Amino acid sequence: MKLTAQLQALAEGSAKRHPGPAQDIMRGAIEALEATTILDNAFKTGDKLPQIKLPDAVGNTVNLHEILKTNKLVLAFYRGGWCPYCNIELKALQEALPEIEAKGAKLIAISPEVPDNSLSTSEKNGLAFTVLSDTNNKLARAMNLVYKLPEELVNLYKSFKIDLEHSQQNEANELPIAATYVIAQDGTITYHFLAEDYKLRADPEAILKAL
């Protein structure tokens, strides 16, 4: 099953498990984000990757531009290990990893969670690619991908035992939109996928085609 179909099936199941007010809050948050200019301002094909270093899941500093000296990059921003849509995406990317690497690219996933939580996500999903912690959404903010969650959605997440303040170790309650990029060795973005709806992600087939 393609990633897009898996995500759709998960969304349909979620709507059945959390009907009524919960669905209204989650849908309302997406609609509010869609009414903003976040997609207009987000980095797209033709833009250059910012010069920012990030820690990996075990705390080592990674310079993305150093990787670009020898490989293209596939960057996938995800919300966190608590997000079921993100976990499905990460597993699909893991399955596509051999084909991505065969095309001369390195795959890197990025979330605002602290390294301890990134490591847990990596181990849980059996990921063989690098997972980076974008502390305080530093890179995502530089690429204009960050939005603040409405208070009622934050409270709903807490009722689901999702605590962003704990997983990110800050009180911002901010997340990156769903975003995936292919980046050429000169740092230029050659493919982008952006969506305000967190249930939508770039399908590995589209990423491979872009490579």
Side-chain angles (χ1 to χ4, degrees):
M1 185 184 296
K2 290 185 178 181
L3 174 58
T4 302
Q6 294 180 60
L7 294 171
Q8 183 178 353
L10 178 60
E12 291 172 354
S14 175
K16 293 178 181 178
R17 289 191 301 273
H18 307 293
Q23 280 299 308
D24 292 340
I25 291 171
M26 291 186 283
R27 187 183 306 109
I30 293 171
E31 291 174 352
L33 189 56
E34 290 174 339
T36 71
T37 59
I38 190 167
L39 289 195
D40 294 335
N41 298 322
F43 273 36
K44 301 178 181 69
T45 299
D47 290 325
K48 291 277 190 175
L49 178 70
Q51 292 274 359
I52 291 177
K53 301 175 184 179
L54 300 175
D56 65 15
V58 293
N60 297 316
T61 299
V62 175
N63 184 335
L64 297 176
H65 282 267
E66 284 295 315
I67 298 174
L68 287 173
K69 291 180 179 179
T70 55
N71 296 93
K72 293 177 288 187
L73 274 176
V74 174
L75 297 185
F77 287 83
Y78 71 100
R79 304 197 301 167
W82 52 268
C83 171
Y85 298 94
C86 299
N87 288 313
I88 288 178
E89 176 191 21
L90 293 173
K91 289 176 181 177
L93 289 172
Q94 174 61 39
E95 291 178 2
L97 182 60
E99 294 175 271
I100 291 172
E101 293 181 337
K103 288 180 174 286
K106 290 290 185 183
L107 171 61
I108 292 180
I110 300 173
S111 92
E113 293 193 311
V114 295
D116 282 351
N117 288 307
S118 295
L119 180 60
S120 176
T121 298
S122 182
E123 292 175 339
K124 177 177 64 177
N125 291 296
L127 305 182
F129 54 87
T130 300
V131 177
L132 299 182
S133 289
D134 189 14
T135 308
N136 297 319
N137 281 297
K138 185 178 180 181
L139 177 59
R141 196 180 313 282
M143 298 178 74
N144 298 325
L145 304 175
V146 180
Y147 68 98
K148 187 174 182 63
L149 276 66
E151 185 176 356
E152 60 181 356
L153 183 58
V154 172
N155 292 332
L156 178 64
Y157 279 170
K158 287 181 178 179
S159 75
F160 294 158
K161 307 302 181 185
I162 298 169
D163 188 343
L164 299 183
E165 292 182 15
H166 174 74
S167 65
Q168 298 182 17
Q169 292 189 4
N170 62 48
E171 299 179 353
N173 287 315
E174 293 177 330
L175 291 172
I177 60 171
T180 301
Y181 296 99
V182 172
I183 302 171
Q185 285 187 244
D186 67 354
T188 302
I189 296 170
T190 58
Y191 164 87
H192 71 269
F193 173 92
L194 301 166
E196 302 103 330
D197 187 343
Y198 58 83
K199 301 186 295 297
L200 305 177
R201 307 297 166 102
D203 198 283
E205 286 189 4
I207 297 170
L208 290 167
K209 185 177 180 180
L211 289 169

